[in-house]
Amino acid sequence: MQRTPLTGIYTGLAIIVYLLVFYFIDRSLIVNPFVYWGTLLVAVIGMASAVKRVRSAQGEKIEKKEALKTAFLVYVIAMAFFYVFFFAMLRYIDPSLTALQKAAMEKAGQDTSKIDFTMTIGKTISGYVISLIGGFLVSYLLASVMKRDH
């Protein structure tokens, strides 16, 4: 369990690198829904890696509860990195990305007239908290698949 927070940090940094690769290819890609949601795949890989490491250290045994705790801790840490990075990117580094985000939504036929695209701390924190619900569900599924209690 001691290395789990470190895995969360590495996973968070991997998510940032993943996003930066797309940003430097074409800056509009960072707000592309497929790229944005692709960060979840990076998180799942980190979560599974942490569970596998803990399971290996315990002689290939891990209870579902411990696997859940390990996977979710990695998710919590990694997504904190993601949300801080995304906030900084859209608020300070390249605020014009919000205009690209709006244009993409309009192109998809969505009404954006009542949406404020300004990135704020409040939006970032609420997005993070809401993501923890989904992260818990993903952690639970991962723990169910990776548990070995015999």
Side-chain angles (χ1 to χ4, degrees), residues 19-143:
L19 288 170
L20 285 173
V21 166
F22 284 102
Y23 179 78
F24 289 121
I25 291 171
D26 177 356
R27 50 195 256 332
S28 68
L29 289 175
I30 200 169
V31 293
N32 178 297
F34 293 110
V35 172
Y36 182 87
W37 287 103
T39 60
L40 186 58
L41 179 62
V42 178
V44 168
I45 291 169
M47 293 158 68
S49 171
V51 172
K52 185 176 178 184
R53 184 178 310 106
V54 170
R55 187 177 66 192
S56 292
Q58 299 176 163
E60 294 304 320
K61 293 180 183 179
I62 190 167
E63 292 182 10
K64 187 175 187 176
K65 181 179 177 180
E66 187 175 10
L68 172 64
K69 186 174 161 183
T70 300
F72 189 59
L73 179 59
V74 170
Y75 183 87
V76 167
I77 295 168
M79 287 297 114
F81 274 78
F82 167 75
Y83 277 94
V84 168
F85 170 77
F86 211 69
F87 171 78
M89 192 63 142
L90 271 66
R91 180 68 183 217
Y92 300 110
I93 299 168
D94 193 349
S96 67
L97 289 172
T98 57
L100 294 173
Q101 192 176 30
K102 181 178 179 178
M105 288 178 73
E106 288 171 344
K107 186 177 178 183
Q110 295 180 324
D111 179 23
T112 60
S113 62
K114 295 179 180 152
I115 299 174
D116 178 14
F117 286 88
T118 307
M119 183 56 77
T120 65
I121 291 283
K123 287 179 185 177
T124 303
I125 291 171
S126 65
Y128 175 65
V129 170
I130 291 167
S131 83
L132 294 179
I133 297 166
F136 183 82
L137 295 174
V138 171
S139 298
Y140 184 82
L141 291 171
L142 192 66

